């Protein structure tokens, strides 16, 4: 199977000569900058900082740049300016307060153009179509009152998740993915998944894995040399073109198949209410309107099918490593809810420690460590530094949520940091950082937060999660997040058992409504 490295680098270095020529011409005839660029690693002739751009766990390299160069770092790769932001203050000043300038997306030759993700909200250029997508999302997910409508779905699908985990605890990751897919498919399209090997869940998993690969910074040479997008597939080193063709088809299938399902259900008069059916109801759509509805739904589907997977998996990791935190939360749940029922959203305001635990999940496991890159639509001078039009701007969210200036002992999983105690104010709510900034902030943040809370409180109500013992040896999982635009905890083993006979009854009771 081709990898990004196999498909990108071989036989392409000769192209650097042409790029070098263009780079020299550009610099000879470029106008004088109104201010210096932000500081950063020194570049090399012709290629700039090409060799400095990290390939894996980019957020760690960006963090080192921040420690050395300050809150704003700058590199230049083959003429492309890249700005890394390493503080919340700077991210808010630039991405929020100057949102009209910093809300565009760059043209990504591999992920956006060749693979087709330019149609999704994640990579959509800033403009009228972007605003239409956001308007559609806001109607369904823009307020807590709107999210309340989805509480029954979250509760019932989380209950079904408990049953799957009870039956096959060794397939935890698969159960989390299945449940995330089940929730978002019901909300997006009114589709109920089948219990095993659901085709819509499977195709979303493939498409989102491919998305994480195809938009990763510097994973494909074509993103640094866009002219390579025009080379034929048979050209030496152009394996990325074949890969992109296959990935484009996966994405198109992911967007089209469930959309057609809703259309067919509506034609038959049996479609349940969903995000898509609400947008289609009583309308005859133009080609543009059809595109907006289809890809709004696909964006919701894509956005909800993978991000919560990372967060929920990390709950199990944290509880395995921090048993005292687990016991404290369970004591609170037992005192408030008791042993005779499962938690519901009506209990949320009565469980402050569990609420803090869910917040800590968002901080400790950073789902999108560097978010998706922003693009600057016009020249800017910020804090005395020149940021040229077209610069790629990357907020290092991982460091912002692990900054010791903001969070005491950031590597430690400690929900109490979010509780006022002994006259000490709670630390910064990670949900104001982890979902991005400005006009590109995640539109489903309220729904994601509700999903993580429901998973947290329900799991802790009925399961004890602990380290696995193999051959008499206790296995301690490693905290080692995997690379990707969406980062997941490294796979690990844990023991998952019902807390009591009564908890077992609650898990096994009917999960329908």
């Amino acid at each position: 199977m081709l990898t990004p490295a196999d498909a990108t680098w071989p036989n392409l270095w000769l192209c650097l000569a042409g790029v070098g020529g263009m780079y020299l011409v550009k610099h000879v005839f470029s106008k004088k900058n109104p201010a210096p660029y932000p500081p950063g690693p020194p570049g090399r002739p012709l290629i700039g900082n090409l060799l400095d751009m990290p390939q894996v766990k980019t957020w760690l390299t960006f963090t080192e740049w921040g420690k050395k160069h300050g809150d704003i770092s700058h590199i230049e790769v083959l003429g492309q300016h890249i700005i890394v932001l390493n503080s919340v203050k700077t991210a808010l000043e630039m991405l929020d307060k100057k949102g009209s300038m910093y809300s565009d997306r760059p043209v990504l030759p591999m992920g956006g153009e060749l693979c087709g993700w330019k149609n999704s909200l994640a990579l959509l250029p800033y403009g009228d179509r972007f605003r239409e997508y956001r308007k559609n999302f806001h109607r369904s997910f823009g307020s807590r009152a709107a999210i309340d409508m989805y509480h029954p779905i979250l509760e019932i699908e989380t209950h079904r998740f408990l049953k799957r985990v009870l039956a096959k605890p060794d397939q935890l990751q698969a159960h989390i993915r299945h449940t995330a897919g089940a929730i978002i498919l019901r909300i997006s399209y009114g589709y109920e998944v089948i219990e095993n090997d659901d085709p819509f869940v499977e195709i979303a998993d493939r498409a989102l894995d491919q998305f994480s690969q195809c938009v990763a910074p510097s994973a494909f040479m074509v993103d640094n040399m866009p002219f390579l997008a025009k080379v034929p597939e048979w050209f030496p080193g152009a394996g990325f073109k074949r890969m992109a063709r296959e990935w484009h088809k996966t994405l198109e299938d992911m967007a089209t198949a469930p959309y057609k399902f809703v259309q067919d259900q509506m034609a038959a008069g049996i479609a349940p209410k969903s995000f898509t059916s609400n947008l289609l109801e009583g309308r005859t759509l133009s080609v543009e309107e059809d595109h907006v509805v289809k890809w709004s739904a696909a964006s919701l589907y894509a956005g909800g099918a993978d991000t919560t997977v990372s967060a929920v998996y990390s709950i199990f990791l944290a509880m395995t490593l921090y048993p005292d935190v687990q016991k404290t939360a369970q004591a609170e749940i037992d005192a408030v809810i008791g042993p005779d029922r499962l938690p519901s959203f009506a209990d949320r305001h009565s469980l402050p420690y569990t609420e803090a635990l869910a917040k800590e999940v968002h901080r400790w496991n950073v789902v999108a460590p560097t978010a998706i890159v922003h693009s600057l639509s016009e020249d800017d001078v910020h804090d005395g530094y020149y940021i040229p039009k077209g610069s790629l701007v990357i907020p290092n969210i991982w460091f912002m949520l692990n900054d010791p200036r903001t969070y005491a002992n950031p590597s430690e999983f400690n929900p109490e940091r979010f509780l006022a105690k002994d006259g000490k104010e709670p630390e910064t709510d990670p949900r104001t950082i982890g979902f991005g900034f400005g006009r590109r902030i995640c539109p489903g943040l309220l729904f994601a937060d509700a999903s993580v809370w429901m998973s947290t409180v329900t799991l802790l109500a009925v399961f004890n999660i602990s380290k696995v013992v193999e051959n008499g040896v206790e296995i301690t999982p490693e905290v080692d997040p995997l690379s990707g635009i969406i980062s997941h905890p490294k796979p690990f083993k844990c023991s998952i058992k019902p807390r009591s006979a009564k908890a077992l009854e609650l898990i096994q009771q009917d999960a329908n409504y």
Side-chain angles (χ1 to χ4, degrees):
M1 179 179 174
L2 287 170
T3 67
D6 295 331
T8 303
W9 293 94
N11 303 309
L12 293 176
W13 286 103
L14 291 176
C15 298
L16 285 174
V19 174
M22 291 186 287
Y23 180 84
L24 288 174
V25 169
K26 176 182 175 183
H27 279 262
V28 168
F29 292 99
S30 62
K31 63 182 179 181
K32 182 175 175 61
N33 293 340
Y37 296 124
R44 297 168 177 82
L46 301 183
I47 63 172
N49 297 100
L50 179 64
L51 302 181
D52 296 311
M53 193 64 186
Q55 299 294 308
V56 296
K57 295 185 179 178
T58 55
W59 55 90
L60 297 181
T61 299
F62 294 163
T63 296
E64 291 306 309
W65 292 355
K67 290 176 180 177
K68 186 173 182 179
H69 303 292
D71 291 345
I72 309 178
S73 303
H74 166 265
I75 63 171
E76 187 174 355
V77 176
L78 302 174
Q80 173 64 65
H81 296 276
I82 299 173
I83 307 296
V84 176
L85 309 181
N86 270 300
S87 79
V88 175
K89 177 178 178 291
T90 303
L92 290 172
E93 288 174 350
M94 297 172 74
L95 305 183
D96 273 31
K97 294 180 180 178
K98 300 181 182 179
S100 61
M101 299 167 59
Y102 282 91
S103 295
D104 210 355
R105 291 288 195 227
V107 174
L108 298 182
M110 183 64 179
E113 302 299 314
L114 295 177
C115 295
W117 283 96
K118 66 180 180 181
N119 292 311
S120 72
L121 181 65
L123 297 187
L124 196 66
Y126 186 67
D128 291 341
R129 185 178 279 182
F130 170 83
R131 283 183 279 272
E132 282 297 315
Y133 281 35
R134 296 286 300 204
K135 188 188 302 180
N136 289 340
F137 279 110
H138 185 75
R139 290 194 194 105
S140 297
F141 299 96
S143 68
R144 295 198 180 278
I147 298 300
D148 288 350
M149 296 173 55
Y150 305 115
H151 285 173
I153 292 175
L154 287 170
E155 290 175 2
I156 194 64
E157 292 296 347
T158 302
H159 188 180
R160 290 172 178 171
F161 171 62
L162 302 180
K163 289 189 168 187
R164 297 180 190 114
V165 173
L166 177 67
K168 297 179 179 178
D170 59 327
Q171 297 182 21
L172 177 61
Q173 279 184 294
H175 298 323
I176 295 172
R177 287 197 172 278
H178 185 93
T179 302
I183 291 170
I184 205 63
L185 280 164
R186 284 187 71 171
I187 291 169
S188 302
Y189 302 102
Y191 174 83
E192 288 212 40
V193 302
I194 59 176
E195 192 57 36
N196 296 303
D197 302 321
D198 186 273
F200 288 176
V201 173
E202 188 275 332
I203 198 169
D205 285 348
R206 279 194 291 124
L208 291 167
D209 178 65
Q210 292 163 6
F211 172 76
S212 191
Q213 294 182 60
C214 71
V215 301
S218 295
F220 291 89
M221 182 64 83
V222 67
D223 287 327
N224 294 322
M225 302 182 194
F227 62 87
L228 294 176
K230 298 186 181 298
V231 303
E233 286 189 8
W234 52 261
F235 192 79
F240 71 91
K241 291 289 292 286
R242 295 188 293 276
M243 183 184 294
R245 175 166 45 82
E246 295 169 5
W247 289 4
H248 190 285
K249 184 180 185 306
T250 302
L251 173 59
E252 189 61 36
D253 289 346
M254 189 198 84
T256 301
Y259 187 58
K260 186 176 186 302
F261 166 82
V262 177
Q263 291 174 316
D264 291 346
Q265 293 269 298
M266 292 182 73
I270 56 174
K273 287 290 184 183
S274 68
F275 175 84
T276 304
S277 68
N278 286 342
L279 293 176
L280 293 175
E281 189 72 46
R283 299 175 65 191
T284 300
L285 304 183
S286 67
V287 172
E288 170 64 16
E289 289 169 336
D290 182 74
H291 178 97
V292 167
V293 172
K294 172 182 170 179
W295 283 98
S296 292
S299 299
L300 173 59
Y301 181 19
D306 195 38
T307 52
T308 54
V309 172
S310 173
V312 173
Y313 195 40
S314 74
I315 297 170
F316 285 89
L317 177 59
M319 296 304 94
T320 302
L321 294 173
Y322 295 90
D324 289 344
V325 170
Q326 179 177 187
K327 290 175 184 176
T328 301
Q330 288 173 330
E332 179 183 70
I333 293 167
D334 292 345
V336 171
I337 296 171
D340 297 323
R341 65 177 178 88
L342 289 173
S344 74
F345 279 100
D347 303 309
R348 186 166 187 176
H349 295 299
S350 303
L351 298 167
Y353 186 86
T354 309
E355 177 77 12
L357 194 158
K359 288 182 185 179
E360 183 70 335
V361 168
H362 288 294
R363 188 203 66 82
W364 187 71
N365 175 74
V366 186
V367 171
T370 57
I372 299 176
V373 64
H374 292 235
S375 179
L376 181 60
S377 58
E378 57 185 276
D379 288 350
D380 185 29
V381 175
H382 185 84
D383 211 14
Y385 295 124
Y386 175 51
I387 318 292
K389 177 181 178 180
S391 293
L392 308 185
V393 183
I394 304 173
N396 187 4
I397 289 176
W398 182 88
F399 178 68
M400 295 175 196
L401 291 173
N402 283 272
D403 187 342
R405 297 171 297 183
T406 308
Y407 300 103
N409 301 315
S411 62
E412 180 183 355
F413 189 93
N414 178 22
E416 291 190 7
R417 69 175 76 248
F418 301 117
L419 298 173
K421 189 176 181 181
D422 300 328
K424 186 179 179 181
E425 288 296 311
E427 294 179 359
T428 302
D429 189 333
R431 296 171 299 186
T432 64
I433 301 169
F435 291 100
F437 298 94
R439 301 177 189 185
R440 287 287 179 172
I441 194 169
C442 172
L445 65 91
L446 294 176
F447 180 77
D449 175 57
S451 296
V452 171
W453 184 85
M454 177 49 60
S455 296
T456 300
V457 69
T458 308
L459 292 170
L460 291 175
V462 297
F463 284 129
N464 282 323
I465 303 162
S466 60
K467 294 178 182 178
V468 166
V469 177
E470 294 182 345
N471 301 320
V473 178
E474 192 175 66
I475 307 300
T476 300
E478 183 180 7
V479 180
D480 185 19
L482 302 177
S483 290
I485 293 297
I486 304 300
S487 176
H488 294 262
K490 183 178 180 179
F492 63 94
K493 294 180 179 180
C494 64
S495 171
I496 309 168
K497 295 180 179 178
R499 295 179 62 200
S500 64
K502 188 64 179 177
L504 181 61
E505 288 181 21
L506 292 177
I507 297 168
Q508 293 176 327
Q509 71 185 8
D510 187 13
N512 293 306
Y513 71 94

